Amino acid sequence: PAWKDERIWISLGKLGFSAAVAAAASKHGDSLSRQPSSKTPLTAARTLLEAWDLKKKSSEHIAVDSEDDALNPADEHLKNRFVQHIMLKSAEEEMDGVHLRPIPGLAGVDFLDPGVLARSMTYVFSPVIERLREAGYEEGVDLDAAPYDWRFAPGLMQQRDQYFDRLAAQLEGLDPRGEGVILLGHSMGNKVISYFLKFAAEKRGRAWL
């Protein structure tokens, strides 16, 4: 599939479910487009990933946008290809020919699938982001996100991508006057924050914290 540089995590269209979702939307009216209730718990989702390099050439892309998608044999192929891209060859290595990285910024933590049909069912931090924006926070000024590759241990995240060094620099950019920042984590992200605080204390000193 032609997924290079594209967002593929739980993207129903990319996985060949376009027709099935469209049918569901037609059957249930506008219920899929409504904003989630305040009583609905945040989806226990992980970081969104995007594909940089793929095993297959883009010329081998299988189109799945026809009205017969729901029964198209290509659907199973796409689902299998998706699993193959997400899985690891070992605890420290991706599959041959695959290179995934987190989608940067708020776009990496708002929805699993930002599409019109699926966004209300796949929100993660979107409600929090919207409330912060209403309170006056601006992306890139005093509001940002640091998506991470949940498939790897924290130490490997630093080794392969300098994740925690980049996170420290990101926080400094958000706090030029040294007034401090608030770190907000979700699910396993709280473990990542805990690791980062220990990392920063050891590498930059407690005064930096």
Side-chain angles (χ1 to χ4, degrees):
W3 289 340
K4 186 174 182 179
D5 293 326
E6 292 192 29
R7 177 179 189 146
I8 63 171
W9 178 246
I10 310 300
S11 175
L12 300 178
K14 295 293 191 305
L15 297 182
F17 294 114
S18 298
V21 175
S26 176
K27 179 179 180 181
H28 297 289
D30 65 348
S31 61
L32 293 180
S33 63
R34 295 173 186 166
Q35 291 298 315
S37 166
S38 60
K39 296 181 180 180
T40 304
L42 289 177
T43 303
R46 302 294 187 263
T47 308
L48 305 170
L49 296 174
E50 59 187 347
W52 285 8
D53 296 309
L54 303 173
K55 295 179 180 177
K56 298 290 185 180
K57 301 295 184 180
S58 60
S59 61
E60 298 177 359
H61 173 56
I62 296 179
V64 289
D65 294 325
S66 69
E67 62 182 4
D68 295 324
D69 281 350
L71 301 177
N72 195 323
D75 289 358
E76 191 65 29
H77 170 78
L78 285 179
K79 286 181 284 185
N80 291 340
R81 295 294 297 159
F82 174 77
V83 171
Q84 291 170 11
H85 281 75
I86 293 295
M87 67 189 298
L88 297 175
K89 187 175 182 179
S90 70
E92 301 180 352
E93 186 179 7
E94 292 180 295
M95 300 297 288
D96 295 338
V98 174
H99 187 67
L100 303 181
R101 288 299 183 272
I103 296 174
L106 299 182
V109 300
D110 54 2
F111 299 94
L112 293 182
D113 186 350
V116 175
L117 292 175
R119 60 188 289 119
S120 66
M121 299 182 293
T122 65
Y123 69 97
V124 184
F125 257 113
S126 179
V128 176
I129 292 171
E130 290 307 309
R131 299 295 86 77
L132 290 174
R133 282 173 170 161
E134 291 173 1
Y137 289 88
E138 298 181 37
E139 182 175 6
V141 178
D142 50 13
L143 175 63
D144 210 344
Y148 61 95
D149 193 332
W150 45 267
R151 300 172 304 162
F152 293 103
L156 191 59
M157 289 162 54
Q158 171 63 21
Q159 178 183 327
R160 70 199 300 261
D161 294 318
Q162 296 75 54
Y163 177 82
F164 295 103
D165 281 328
R166 291 189 293 107
L167 177 55
Q170 182 179 6
L171 295 178
E172 290 175 340
L174 291 173
D175 186 33
R177 292 179 291 187
E179 297 176 342
V181 297
I182 296 174
L183 300 179
L184 179 61
H186 168 51
S187 188
M188 197 165 71
N190 290 293
K191 297 291 187 179
V192 175
I193 290 176
S194 178
Y195 185 96
F196 168 70
L197 295 177
K198 295 178 181 178
F199 172 89
E202 293 178 3
K203 190 165 184 178
R204 295 176 177 246
R206 297 201 61 83
W208 186 86
L209 294 175

